[in-house]
Short mmCIF file of all heavy atoms in Angstrom, two decimals:
data_model
loop_
_atom_site.label_atom_id
_atom_site.label_comp_id
_atom_site.label_asym_id
_atom_site.label_seq_id
_atom_site.Cartn_x
_atom_site.Cartn_y
_atom_site.Cartn_z
N MET B 355 76.51 80.62 283.83
CA MET B 355 77.88 80.69 283.29
C MET B 355 78.48 82.05 283.57
O MET B 355 78.44 82.94 282.73
CB MET B 355 77.84 80.54 281.76
CG MET B 355 77.39 79.22 281.25
SD MET B 355 77.56 79.27 279.44
CE MET B 355 76.55 77.89 279.01
N SER B 356 79.05 82.18 284.73
CA SER B 356 79.69 83.47 285.01
C SER B 356 80.98 83.57 284.20
O SER B 356 81.54 82.55 283.78
CB SER B 356 80.01 83.58 286.50
OG SER B 356 81.00 82.63 286.84
N TRP B 357 81.39 84.78 283.95
CA TRP B 357 82.66 85.02 283.23
C TRP B 357 83.79 84.30 283.95
O TRP B 357 84.64 83.65 283.34
CB TRP B 357 82.91 86.53 283.19
CG TRP B 357 84.01 86.99 282.30
CD1 TRP B 357 85.26 87.37 282.67
CD2 TRP B 357 83.95 87.16 280.87
NE1 TRP B 357 85.99 87.78 281.58
CE2 TRP B 357 85.21 87.65 280.44
CE3 TRP B 357 82.96 86.94 279.91
CZ2 TRP B 357 85.50 87.95 279.11
CZ3 TRP B 357 83.25 87.24 278.58
CH2 TRP B 357 84.51 87.72 278.20
N ALA B 358 83.74 84.35 285.28
CA ALA B 358 84.80 83.71 286.07
C ALA B 358 84.80 82.20 285.84
O ALA B 358 85.85 81.56 285.74
CB ALA B 358 84.60 84.02 287.56
N ARG B 359 83.59 81.62 285.72
CA ARG B 359 83.50 80.17 285.47
C ARG B 359 84.06 79.81 284.11
O ARG B 359 84.73 78.80 283.94
CB ARG B 359 82.03 79.74 285.53
CG ARG B 359 81.71 78.93 286.75
CD ARG B 359 80.31 78.37 286.65
NE ARG B 359 80.31 76.98 286.23
CZ ARG B 359 79.21 76.25 286.11
NH1 ARG B 359 78.02 76.80 286.36
NH2 ARG B 359 79.28 74.99 285.75
N LEU B 360 83.75 80.64 283.12
CA LEU B 360 84.26 80.36 281.78
C LEU B 360 85.78 80.39 281.79
O LEU B 360 86.44 79.59 281.13
CB LEU B 360 83.72 81.38 280.78
CG LEU B 360 82.22 81.33 280.50
CD1 LEU B 360 81.84 82.43 279.52
CD2 LEU B 360 81.81 79.96 279.95
N GLU B 361 86.33 81.32 282.55
CA GLU B 361 87.79 81.39 282.67
C GLU B 361 88.33 80.14 283.35
O GLU B 361 89.28 79.52 282.89
CB GLU B 361 88.20 82.62 283.52
CG GLU B 361 88.05 83.96 282.83
CD GLU B 361 89.19 84.24 281.86
OE1 GLU B 361 90.14 83.42 281.78
OE2 GLU B 361 89.12 85.27 281.16
N ALA B 362 87.69 79.78 284.46
CA ALA B 362 88.24 78.71 285.29
C ALA B 362 88.04 77.34 284.66
O ALA B 362 88.92 76.49 284.70
CB ALA B 362 87.59 78.75 286.68
N GLU B 363 86.86 77.12 284.05
CA GLU B 363 86.55 75.77 283.57
C GLU B 363 86.90 75.58 282.10
O GLU B 363 86.79 74.48 281.58
CB GLU B 363 85.06 75.47 283.80
CG GLU B 363 84.72 75.41 285.28
CD GLU B 363 83.23 75.21 285.54
OE1 GLU B 363 82.54 74.59 284.71
OE2 GLU B 363 82.77 75.71 286.58
N GLY B 364 87.27 76.65 281.44
CA GLY B 364 87.67 76.52 280.04
C GLY B 364 86.48 76.48 279.10
O GLY B 364 86.60 76.79 277.93
N GLY B 365 85.32 76.13 279.58
CA GLY B 365 84.14 76.07 278.73
C GLY B 365 83.00 75.38 279.46
O GLY B 365 83.23 74.50 280.29
N VAL B 366 81.77 75.84 279.18
CA VAL B 366 80.59 75.23 279.81
C VAL B 366 79.54 75.06 278.72
O VAL B 366 79.38 75.92 277.86
CB VAL B 366 80.02 76.14 280.94
CG1 VAL B 366 78.83 75.44 281.60
CG2 VAL B 366 81.08 76.47 281.96
N GLN B 367 78.83 73.92 278.75
CA GLN B 367 77.81 73.66 277.73
C GLN B 367 76.44 74.09 278.23
O GLN B 367 76.03 73.69 279.33
CB GLN B 367 77.80 72.15 277.39
CG GLN B 367 78.95 71.73 276.50
CD GLN B 367 79.05 70.21 276.39
OE1 GLN B 367 79.48 69.57 277.32
NE2 GLN B 367 78.68 69.66 275.25
N TRP B 368 75.73 74.91 277.43
CA TRP B 368 74.38 75.29 277.85
C TRP B 368 73.40 74.17 277.53
O TRP B 368 73.71 73.35 276.68
CB TRP B 368 73.97 76.64 277.25
CG TRP B 368 73.84 76.79 275.75
CD1 TRP B 368 74.66 77.49 274.92
CD2 TRP B 368 72.79 76.28 274.89
NE1 TRP B 368 74.22 77.44 273.61
CE2 TRP B 368 73.07 76.71 273.58
CE3 TRP B 368 71.64 75.50 275.12
CZ2 TRP B 368 72.25 76.38 272.48
CZ3 TRP B 368 70.83 75.18 274.02
CH2 TRP B 368 71.13 75.62 272.72
N PRO B 369 72.27 74.09 278.15
CA PRO B 369 71.80 75.03 279.19
C PRO B 369 72.51 74.84 280.53
O PRO B 369 72.80 73.72 280.93
CB PRO B 369 70.31 74.67 279.33
CG PRO B 369 70.18 73.29 278.80
CD PRO B 369 71.25 73.11 277.77
N CYS B 370 72.73 76.00 281.17
CA CYS B 370 73.40 76.02 282.46
C CYS B 370 72.73 77.11 283.27
O CYS B 370 73.20 78.25 283.31
CB CYS B 370 74.89 76.29 282.27
SG CYS B 370 75.80 76.48 283.81
N PRO B 371 71.61 76.79 283.85
CA PRO B 371 70.77 77.83 284.44
C PRO B 371 71.34 78.46 285.72
O PRO B 371 71.08 79.63 285.98
CB PRO B 371 69.45 77.11 284.74
CG PRO B 371 69.80 75.66 284.79
CD PRO B 371 70.97 75.46 283.89
N THR B 372 72.09 77.68 286.50
CA THR B 372 72.56 78.22 287.78
C THR B 372 74.05 77.96 287.94
O THR B 372 74.63 77.11 287.27
CB THR B 372 71.83 77.53 288.95
OG1 THR B 372 72.08 76.11 288.85
CG2 THR B 372 70.34 77.80 288.90
N GLU B 373 74.63 78.70 288.86
CA GLU B 373 76.09 78.63 289.01
C GLU B 373 76.55 77.28 289.52
O GLU B 373 77.71 76.91 289.34
CB GLU B 373 76.58 79.76 289.94
CG GLU B 373 76.35 81.12 289.32
CD GLU B 373 77.50 82.09 289.53
OE1 GLU B 373 78.59 81.62 289.93
OE2 GLU B 373 77.30 83.29 289.30
N ASP B 374 75.64 76.51 290.15
CA ASP B 374 76.07 75.19 290.60
C ASP B 374 75.70 74.09 289.59
O ASP B 374 75.88 72.91 289.85
CB ASP B 374 75.50 74.87 292.00
CG ASP B 374 73.99 74.96 292.02
OD1 ASP B 374 73.39 75.26 290.95
OD2 ASP B 374 73.39 74.75 293.10
N HIS B 375 75.19 74.51 288.44
CA HIS B 375 74.82 73.54 287.40
C HIS B 375 76.07 73.23 286.58
O HIS B 375 76.81 74.11 286.19
CB HIS B 375 73.73 74.13 286.51
CG HIS B 375 73.12 73.16 285.55
ND1 HIS B 375 73.78 72.74 284.42
CD2 HIS B 375 71.91 72.53 285.53
CE1 HIS B 375 73.01 71.89 283.76
NE2 HIS B 375 71.87 71.74 284.41
N PRO B 376 76.33 71.92 286.31
CA PRO B 376 77.59 71.58 285.61
C PRO B 376 77.56 71.86 284.11
O PRO B 376 78.57 71.70 283.44
CB PRO B 376 77.70 70.07 285.85
CG PRO B 376 76.28 69.61 286.01
CD PRO B 376 75.55 70.74 286.67
N GLY B 377 76.43 72.27 283.57
CA GLY B 377 76.31 72.37 282.12
C GLY B 377 75.74 71.06 281.58
O GLY B 377 75.67 70.06 282.30
N SER B 378 75.36 71.08 280.29
CA SER B 378 74.60 69.93 279.75
C SER B 378 75.31 69.33 278.56
O SER B 378 75.37 69.94 277.51
CB SER B 378 73.20 70.39 279.33
OG SER B 378 72.59 71.09 280.40
N PRO B 379 75.82 68.10 278.72
CA PRO B 379 76.52 67.49 277.59
C PRO B 379 75.59 67.15 276.43
O PRO B 379 76.02 67.11 275.29
CB PRO B 379 77.15 66.23 278.19
CG PRO B 379 76.51 66.03 279.50
CD PRO B 379 75.95 67.33 279.95
N PHE B 380 74.32 66.87 276.70
CA PHE B 380 73.41 66.62 275.58
C PHE B 380 72.05 67.22 275.88
O PHE B 380 71.72 67.49 277.02
CB PHE B 380 73.31 65.12 275.26
CG PHE B 380 72.85 64.27 276.41
CD1 PHE B 380 71.50 64.06 276.65
CD2 PHE B 380 73.78 63.66 277.25
CE1 PHE B 380 71.08 63.28 277.70
CE2 PHE B 380 73.35 62.88 278.32
CZ PHE B 380 72.00 62.69 278.55
N LEU B 381 71.26 67.40 274.82
CA LEU B 381 69.93 68.00 274.95
C LEU B 381 68.86 66.91 274.87
O LEU B 381 69.14 65.75 274.60
CB LEU B 381 69.71 68.98 273.80
CG LEU B 381 70.58 70.23 273.77
CD1 LEU B 381 70.20 71.09 272.58
CD2 LEU B 381 70.43 71.01 275.06
N HIS B 382 67.64 67.34 275.03
CA HIS B 382 66.46 66.50 274.80
C HIS B 382 66.35 65.33 275.75
O HIS B 382 65.63 64.39 275.48
CB HIS B 382 66.43 65.99 273.34
CG HIS B 382 66.64 67.08 272.34
ND1 HIS B 382 65.83 68.18 272.26
CD2 HIS B 382 67.59 67.23 271.38
CE1 HIS B 382 66.27 68.97 271.29
NE2 HIS B 382 67.34 68.43 270.75
N GLY B 383 67.07 65.36 276.86
CA GLY B 383 66.91 64.32 277.87
C GLY B 383 65.46 64.28 278.37
O GLY B 383 64.97 63.23 278.81
N ARG B 384 64.80 65.41 278.23
CA ARG B 384 63.40 65.48 278.70
C ARG B 384 62.51 64.46 277.99
O ARG B 384 61.48 64.05 278.52
CB ARG B 384 62.84 66.89 278.49
CG ARG B 384 62.75 67.29 277.04
CD ARG B 384 62.11 68.64 276.80
NE ARG B 384 62.02 68.91 275.36
CZ ARG B 384 61.03 68.47 274.60
NH1 ARG B 384 60.05 67.77 275.12
NH2 ARG B 384 61.03 68.73 273.30
N LEU B 385 62.91 64.04 276.78
CA LEU B 385 62.08 63.10 276.04
C LEU B 385 62.02 61.74 276.73
O LEU B 385 61.19 60.90 276.40
CB LEU B 385 62.60 62.92 274.60
CG LEU B 385 62.50 64.16 273.70
CD1 LEU B 385 63.13 63.90 272.35
CD2 LEU B 385 61.03 64.58 273.53
N TRP B 386 62.96 61.52 277.63
CA TRP B 386 62.97 60.24 278.35
C TRP B 386 62.29 60.33 279.71
O TRP B 386 62.21 59.33 280.42
CB TRP B 386 64.41 59.72 278.49
CG TRP B 386 64.94 59.31 277.17
CD1 TRP B 386 65.66 60.09 276.31
CD2 TRP B 386 64.75 58.06 276.51
NE1 TRP B 386 65.94 59.41 275.16
CE2 TRP B 386 65.39 58.14 275.26
CE3 TRP B 386 64.10 56.88 276.87
CZ2 TRP B 386 65.40 57.10 274.36
CZ3 TRP B 386 64.12 55.83 275.97
CH2 TRP B 386 64.76 55.94 274.72
N GLU B 387 61.84 61.55 280.06
CA GLU B 387 61.10 61.66 281.32
C GLU B 387 59.73 61.03 281.12
O GLU B 387 59.19 61.02 280.02
CB GLU B 387 60.95 63.14 281.71
CG GLU B 387 62.27 63.77 282.11
CD GLU B 387 62.15 65.29 282.23
OE1 GLU B 387 61.01 65.80 282.32
OE2 GLU B 387 63.20 65.95 282.21
N ARG B 388 59.19 60.48 282.17
CA ARG B 388 57.85 59.87 282.09
C ARG B 388 56.95 60.50 283.12
O ARG B 388 57.22 60.32 284.32
CB ARG B 388 57.94 58.36 282.28
CG ARG B 388 58.72 57.66 281.18
CD ARG B 388 57.99 57.71 279.83
NE ARG B 388 58.81 57.15 278.76
CZ ARG B 388 59.57 57.88 277.93
NH1 ARG B 388 59.61 59.20 278.05
NH2 ARG B 388 60.27 57.30 276.99
N PRO B 389 55.89 61.23 282.73
CA PRO B 389 55.59 61.58 281.35
C PRO B 389 56.63 62.52 280.77
O PRO B 389 57.41 63.12 281.52
CB PRO B 389 54.23 62.29 281.48
CG PRO B 389 54.22 62.85 282.85
CD PRO B 389 54.96 61.87 283.70
N VAL B 390 56.60 62.61 279.44
CA VAL B 390 57.61 63.39 278.75
C VAL B 390 57.63 64.81 279.28
O VAL B 390 56.59 65.39 279.60
CB VAL B 390 57.33 63.35 277.23
CG1 VAL B 390 56.05 64.09 276.89
CG2 VAL B 390 58.52 63.91 276.45
N GLY B 391 58.85 65.35 279.44
CA GLY B 391 58.98 66.73 279.89
C GLY B 391 58.70 67.68 278.74
O GLY B 391 59.39 67.61 277.72
#
Side-chain angles (χ1 to χ4, degrees):
Chain B
M355 294 184 197
S356 66
W357 191 258
R359 251 188 100 177
L360 293 178
E361 286 282 356
E363 294 176 30
V366 182
Q367 283 170 286
W368 64 251
C370 175
T372 58
E373 295 221 14
D374 57 0
H375 189 285
S378 308
F380 58 87
L381 294 181
H382 311 303
R384 64 176 183 84
L385 294 176
W386 291 93
E387 291 169 17
R388 296 292 175 263
V390 67

